[in-house]
Amino acid sequence: MSKEKILVIGANGQIGSVLTEALRAAFGTNNVIATDIRQVDGHDGPFELLNVLDRQAMGEIINRHGITQIYHLAAILSAKGEQNPLQTWDINMGGLFNVFEVARESGISKVFFPSSIAVFGADIPRQMTPQNAILKPTTVYGMSKASGELWSQYYFQKYGLDVRSLRYPGVIGWQSDPGGGTTDYAVDIYHYAVKGENYTCFLSENTALPMIYMADAIRATLELMEAPAQNIKERTSYNLAGMSFSPSEIAESIQAHFPSFEVSYAPDFRQKIADSWPESIDDNAARNDWHWQPNYDLARMTNDMIFQLQKKYSVLI
Ligand code: SER
């Protein structure tokens, strides 16, 4: 029986919903408490409403359930964040400070904080961007993640709080919908293809970005959190890579399954965000420190996405 009691904050989100299921499979359904600002159906396990800006409520839930670990997934993403920068900063930073403070006060053993490729901006090598490249993010989301990384390190160094973090690339999965990111097109495009519709992409055809399949992203998270503390040498956040591709490359991989599928391009404000990010990521630190190894390349991901979405849509019809 697991002695851990895990709190997932943002459990209805794109990553949070899949991570909650994976944690329940690993630690037992009742040992994982899902929380989100919105109630949704379909949680088979303990669920509580929680606004991340309510520190008192967060502390109360942690004490009542005897929580030992926190996965803090709630944040406003890169594209949506630009609509209301100050509110995005308040939610992303306020939520994180509440998690760190409550964790410190309640003697939480480990905290997971997701960072992002959005921490990078100008003056980096765009290909194979190194772990220690300079951080000059241009979005408020990226600024909040870069600051969050430093605060993660600060809480570790000053208070011994075992905060661990990954710089997720764009995450692609069939289980859940993305919300407000610049990489969302790479999920949407599969839904259109499987429904037999053509797709208009909001990034230009040659915009390569780092991406990762959901199965790999979840496994990376669990492996990072299970690694012995002395292996975690990056206390800001780890670069993490799965694959890298442009809209025209993902379109081609889908056309191998659906030859008549067509993609047109109508770049919008998200193009500028994508242009400021790396094209690919050097994740050697993760590979060396806790033996990270992705399983999915573009072709393998496309096979699985199409297979899973066809199943999903045939059940819905
Ligand atoms: N997928 C995220 C976004 O596009 C990156 O962290 O905002």
Side-chain angles (χ1 to χ4, degrees):
M1 223 11 223
S2 162
K3 286 194 196 65
E4 302 295 342
K5 275 264 182 175
I6 296 173
L7 186 74
V8 182
I9 300 174
N12 290 342
Q14 188 205 7
I15 300 173
S17 56
V18 188
L19 184 63
T20 299
E21 269 189 44
L23 288 167
R24 286 190 166 144
F27 292 91
T29 302
N30 290 324
N31 293 323
V32 180
I33 316 301
T35 66
D36 201 282
I37 196 162
R38 259 169 259 111
Q39 183 96 45
V40 287
D41 298 335
H43 269 288
D44 56 348
F47 177 87
E48 305 238 9
L49 283 174
L50 174 65
N51 179 340
V52 290
L53 298 181
D54 189 342
R55 187 183 297 181
Q56 206 184 330
M58 194 185 284
E60 194 275 318
I61 290 172
I62 284 168
N63 290 335
R64 182 154 43 82
H65 291 279
I67 297 296
T68 60
Q69 295 187 15
I70 304 175
Y71 288 71
H72 175 50
L73 279 305
I76 310 289
L77 294 192
S78 61
K80 184 149 182 258
E82 294 307 290
Q83 288 161 12
N84 198 335
L86 296 188
Q87 189 192 44
T88 301
W89 180 261
D90 285 347
I91 291 171
N92 291 4
M93 296 312 293
L96 185 62
F97 285 131
N98 285 344
V99 168
F100 283 165
E101 276 300 285
V102 170
R104 181 171 75 82
E105 283 161 14
S106 347
I108 293 292
S109 67
K110 283 182 213 170
V111 176
F112 177 73
F113 164 65
S115 185
S116 162
I117 52 166
V119 294
F120 297 113
D123 302 330
I124 50 159
R126 299 233 106 75
Q127 267 133 39
M128 294 301 278
T129 304
Q131 174 69 39
N132 290 320
I134 194 163
L135 305 187
K136 289 189 184 176
T138 54
T139 60
V140 67
Y141 169 72
M143 286 158 58
S144 73
K145 290 298 182 187
S147 309
E149 289 189 4
L150 292 173
W151 279 104
S152 300
Q153 178 174 260
Y154 184 87
Y155 269 78
F156 173 70
Q157 288 175 345
K158 185 155 176 131
Y159 303 113
L161 185 63
D162 189 355
V163 186
R164 304 181 182 195
S165 177
L166 296 173
R167 290 173 180 152
Y168 286 131
V171 179
I172 298 162
W174 52 270
Q175 301 93 327
S176 51
D177 293 329
T182 303
T183 56
D184 294 10
Y185 90 85
V187 179
D188 297 343
I189 195 170
Y190 286 109
H191 287 262
Y192 278 75
V194 168
K195 287 189 286 186
E197 294 167 23
N198 291 329
Y199 182 67
T200 304
C201 184
F202 58 74
L203 297 182
S204 69
E205 59 182 312
N206 295 322
T207 309
L209 287 171
M211 302 277 186
I212 192 168
Y213 197 38
M214 182 68 83
D216 275 341
I218 298 294
R219 188 170 53 79
T221 309
L222 299 182
E223 287 177 5
L224 172 77
M225 292 298 276
E226 284 305 305
Q230 69 270 18
N231 289 27
I232 310 299
K233 303 204 175 90
E234 298 294 339
R235 284 294 175 172
T236 52
S237 189
Y238 277 99
N239 275 11
L240 183 74
M243 62 191 88
S244 185
F245 57 78
S246 64
S248 68
E249 287 165 334
I250 192 175
E252 236 173 77
S253 87
I254 294 172
Q255 281 153 354
H257 298 255
F258 302 111
S260 60
F261 178 60
E262 280 175 29
V263 179
S264 48
Y265 298 92
D268 65 14
F269 73 100
R270 288 168 280 196
Q271 182 66 43
K272 203 169 144 204
I273 299 177
D275 287 340
S276 77
W277 287 355
E279 294 181 8
S280 60
I281 292 289
D282 175 346
D283 64 354
N284 268 309
R287 288 171 189 257
N288 291 335
D289 291 359
W290 44 278
H291 314 300
W292 166 242
Q293 186 75 54
N295 282 340
Y296 285 85
D297 61 11
L298 177 57
R300 187 159 180 229
M301 174 174 78
T302 295
N303 279 339
D304 200 51
M305 278 297 282
I306 291 176
F307 173 73
Q308 298 289 353
L309 287 178
Q310 280 177 327
K311 257 202 319 201
K312 198 169 176 174
Y313 282 113
S314 71
V315 173
L316 292 179
I317 289 163

